[in-house]
Amino acid sequence: MSINKFRSFLYSFAKLLGDINSVKKGTVGKRIARRAVGKATGKAMNKLFK
């Protein structure tokens, strides 16, 4: 297993744990909104610096 695959697995696992934690706390809506904003910001930054 390469380092990149392992790192990708760790990020995916962390995201899954965050989702589970937000369900337990009852803050799923906040998490979804923050992830959407983060994704939009990332796309905008990518276009800006491309």
Side-chain angles (χ1 to χ4, degrees):
M1 180 179 267
S2 69
I3 292 176
N4 285 336
K5 284 184 181 179
F6 186 65
R7 189 179 91 163
S8 177
F9 166 74
L10 287 177
Y11 276 117
S12 299
F13 189 63
K15 193 162 59 168
L16 177 69
L17 288 177
D19 290 343
I20 292 169
N21 195 30
S22 70
V23 169
K24 285 183 179 178
K25 288 184 173 182
T27 56
V28 179
K30 267 189 196 177
R31 182 166 174 84
I32 291 171
R34 286 182 182 151
R35 279 173 63 176
V37 169
K39 199 171 214 179
T41 303
K43 284 184 180 182
M45 295 295 269
N46 192 20
K47 286 182 182 179
L48 186 64
F49 291 110
K50 200 168 191 185

